[in-house]
Amino acid sequence: MPSDVEYSPVGEGLGMRDFWLYAWMRRAAVISAHVTSLILTITVSMLSRPGTSLFSWHPVCMTVAFCVFMTEGVLLFSAEGSPFCFKSRKGKVRVHWLCQVLVLTAAATGLGFIVASKSVSEHPHLTSWHSLLGSCTLAFSLLQAVFGISVTFHKELHLSLPPSRLKLYHATCGLLVYLLATVTVVSAFFSDWFQASVKGPLWWVLLLLPFFPALVVMNQITNAYLPRKKMSS
């Protein structure tokens, strides 16, 4: 049965000059997203001084999980500026799986450290917006992993939904998880620990950094999966 929805390539209808300019801008944006995520992770790691306390490992593990592994796990499918552009689609999927396993591993480790830290200091759990958002992010990350399993093993699981629909749901859920993780990271900048560590213009710079990779990821996913209506002549 013919469908009135198609998934059109981005940039269709542009002139050659405009197309190359657009492609160059996309490449620059993806590369900047890699660099931004790395800078943010290194900065937070330096501020937390890992090893000085149980809590000090929490920001390190969480930024590595969601700012590095999750970002790279999405951007590796980009044709612009990905270090895995030489790999086949199947190879990229395998690296994507590895990145998501590392996300869950690092996040679970970070969760363990913050739970242990609060237990030792006898502080109550889940009393801030950051902790509540973080719990939701972890829960949806697990749900996203289930979607990923259903996409990879849809034949073995005998699912009634077609693979294209499962991929769309997986990408949509992944975008929501990434945006939720971004909000969680930003909320950490309003914690007493971070505001005591960073003040002035640097705080504002770090506050804005997570939004840039989020915009790049959102642009990549929506361009790849956003349905476009066919133009009738």
Side-chain angles (χ1 to χ4, degrees):
M1 180 177 179
S3 173
D4 62 343
V5 177
E6 65 177 358
Y7 296 90
S8 304
V10 180
E12 183 179 1
L14 294 176
M16 184 61 67
R17 181 180 178 182
D18 292 335
F19 174 79
W20 285 111
L21 177 60
Y22 181 77
W24 181 86
M25 291 175 62
R26 281 173 58 88
R27 184 181 298 273
V30 173
I31 294 175
S32 298
H34 290 296
V35 175
T36 301
S37 299
L38 187 60
I39 289 176
L40 179 61
T41 303
I42 293 175
T43 303
V44 171
S45 298
M46 292 176 60
L47 290 172
S48 62
R49 295 181 298 169
T52 56
S53 65
L54 287 172
F55 171 81
S56 66
W57 289 104
H58 173 71
V60 177
C61 292
M62 291 308 190
T63 50
V64 168
F66 294 103
C67 296
V68 177
F69 291 141
M70 182 170 282
T71 301
E72 296 302 320
V74 176
L75 293 183
L76 67 88
F77 290 108
S78 173
E80 301 92 0
S82 172
F84 301 98
C85 58
F86 60 90
K87 282 188 171 292
S88 64
R89 174 74 182 184
K90 188 175 182 180
K92 290 181 179 180
V93 170
R94 289 174 178 172
V95 178
H96 175 75
W97 265 98
L98 174 61
C99 287
Q100 300 314 306
V101 170
L102 292 174
V103 168
L104 295 177
T105 302
T109 305
L111 175 64
F113 276 116
I114 191 62
V115 170
S117 175
K118 285 184 174 290
S119 297
V120 169
S121 58
E122 297 183 350
H123 288 164
H125 300 280
L126 301 175
T127 57
S128 65
W129 279 109
H130 174 67
S131 60
L132 294 174
L133 288 170
S135 299
C136 292
T137 301
L138 291 175
F140 279 104
S141 296
L142 290 173
L143 178 62
Q144 171 67 350
V146 174
F147 271 121
I149 293 173
S150 66
V151 171
T152 305
F153 303 103
H154 63 278
K155 291 183 179 179
E156 291 79 358
L157 295 173
H158 305 288
L159 299 176
S160 59
L161 289 174
S164 60
R165 185 65 61 179
L166 290 173
K167 290 180 181 179
L168 176 61
Y169 293 157
H170 180 57
T172 303
C173 182
L175 176 58
L176 294 176
V177 170
Y178 193 92
L179 295 178
L180 182 58
T182 301
V183 173
T184 303
V185 170
V186 170
S187 68
F189 298 158
F190 293 90
S191 65
D192 294 337
W193 165 76
F194 196 85
Q195 290 190 332
S197 303
V198 181
K199 299 181 183 296
L202 179 59
W203 185 87
W204 288 100
V205 172
L206 294 176
L207 179 69
L208 296 176
L209 279 183
F211 291 106
F212 185 76
L215 289 174
V216 174
V217 168
M218 182 170 61
N219 180 70
Q220 175 181 315
I221 294 177
T222 53
N223 284 339
Y225 291 95
L226 183 67
R228 296 164 181 258
K229 293 290 183 180
K230 288 184 177 179
M231 299 293 293
S232 57
S233 57

